[in-house]
Amino acid sequence: MTNSDEQKLLQLIARYRVVTRGVVAVVAGSEAKGDKLLARLSKTGLVTANRGLPGNRSIYQLSRKGAGAMGVGESRARVHGTQAILKHLGVLLFCYGRDAAYRLDDAELKTVSSDSLPAGVYCIAKTKGSACVFHCYVPSPTTSVETAMRRLTRTHADLIATPGNRRLVQDGRIGLVVLVDSSQRRRALMEAVRRADSGQQALVKQVRVNVEVVSDLRSYLGGGTSGTKAASTALLWEQNEGTEEGE
């Protein structure tokens, strides 16, 4: 473990807002080294832990001191609500470890289009042989297909509201990615985005849409738990669905 490992991890947290113990182990080279790295950064007050996730899992984010050290806004140090955790985790687990995939920061987003992009989280990823800037949507495990489709349709309308962005959408250089926790959820959403409705073209005919399974996400949503605990976890995500939290 070196100071370069510390800097690399801090940069990673600054980009993705949160990291998991598993991701830290990859950065450090092993679980043991990752745990030591987290302990060191926690001791110096640069990183804090959120230990309230299902299955006794934890995520880690910058403290206010850490945000200052990395030159990012203090909003990165706020205590995230459940919907923000879901969003940040989904994007982290989708991007990290994939070739040429990463979450875009504000400065990078400004280079994507001559027009301002609608608010949200964006990543760049290569799928089906070509790179695309994706607006990321991570629905809660209880979100209905109908609700998800309304959200995607609204986001598409926002994206094509300006000429510059509309051209990029039409060229397939800006699209939508939906990150889900199971193949069953993916199949249901893929059927929906491929289906024409009320005289409208199917959404996939209007904008590039990818629905991707982020298998590790399930364990952070209470997957594998049972009974009252699983039900309360599902209710918690459901109650916070649709709540957007800045960064």
Side-chain angles (χ1 to χ4, degrees):
M1 183 174 64
T2 65
N3 287 337
S4 64
D5 290 332
E6 293 182 6
Q7 188 65 17
K8 184 177 180 180
L9 180 58
L10 290 170
Q11 289 172 345
L12 190 69
I13 303 174
R15 179 177 290 276
Y16 288 99
R17 281 53 169 183
V18 300
V19 293
T20 65
R21 183 168 174 258
V23 168
V24 177
V26 174
V27 172
S30 71
E31 285 189 2
K33 291 179 180 178
D35 289 344
K36 289 180 180 178
L37 178 56
L38 284 170
R40 183 169 176 175
L41 291 174
S42 297
K43 186 175 181 180
T44 56
L46 296 172
V47 168
T48 61
N50 180 339
R51 306 184 189 280
L53 276 68
N56 294 320
R57 288 176 175 266
S58 300
I59 56 173
Y60 304 86
Q61 65 183 87
L62 295 177
S63 65
R64 184 173 296 181
K65 179 180 177 181
M70 297 306 296
V72 296
E74 286 189 1
S75 60
R76 308 283 176 98
R78 71 163 57 122
V79 177
H80 297 305
T82 51
Q83 183 62 20
I85 291 173
L86 178 65
K87 174 178 63 178
H88 297 322
L89 264 178
V91 175
L92 169 74
L93 296 173
F94 170 65
C95 290
Y96 196 73
R98 294 172 65 105
D99 290 336
Y102 54 91
R103 179 172 174 163
L104 295 168
D105 62 26
D106 292 342
E108 292 164 340
L109 276 177
K110 290 178 181 177
T111 69
V112 171
S113 174
S114 57
D115 297 335
S116 296
L117 289 165
V121 174
Y122 292 82
C123 71
I124 187 167
K126 190 173 183 179
T127 62
K128 297 180 180 178
S130 60
C132 181
V133 171
F134 289 105
H135 182 286
C136 304
Y137 173 40
V138 190
S140 84
T142 56
T143 301
S144 68
V145 171
E146 293 76 16
T147 297
M149 283 302 298
R150 285 196 296 271
R151 174 71 171 270
L152 292 170
T153 301
R154 185 170 67 247
T155 301
H156 171 246
D158 291 342
L159 281 170
I160 63 172
T162 60
N165 292 341
R166 188 181 308 120
R167 284 192 296 271
L168 293 172
V169 169
Q170 292 170 345
D171 291 344
R173 287 184 284 170
I174 292 179
L176 307 173
V177 66
V178 189
L179 306 177
V180 297
D181 65 324
S182 69
S183 297
Q184 182 180 3
R185 292 270 286 165
R186 181 183 184 277
R187 285 194 296 272
L189 282 165
M190 285 303 302
E191 288 176 5
V193 299
R194 289 170 174 163
R195 185 170 56 240
D197 188 36
S198 302
Q200 296 290 323
Q201 278 188 317
L203 190 60
V204 292
K205 298 290 186 180
Q206 303 176 64
V207 60
R208 186 170 175 175
V209 184
N210 281 37
V211 183
E212 302 281 350
V213 177
V214 182
S215 55
D216 288 347
L217 187 59
R218 187 169 184 81
S219 61
Y220 288 90
L221 303 180
T225 59
S226 60
T228 303
K229 187 173 182 180
S232 63
T233 299
L235 179 61
L236 180 63
W237 292 112
E238 182 176 28
Q239 288 172 336
N240 285 274
E241 169 63 18
T243 304
E244 289 295 332
E245 297 190 32
E247 296 188 337

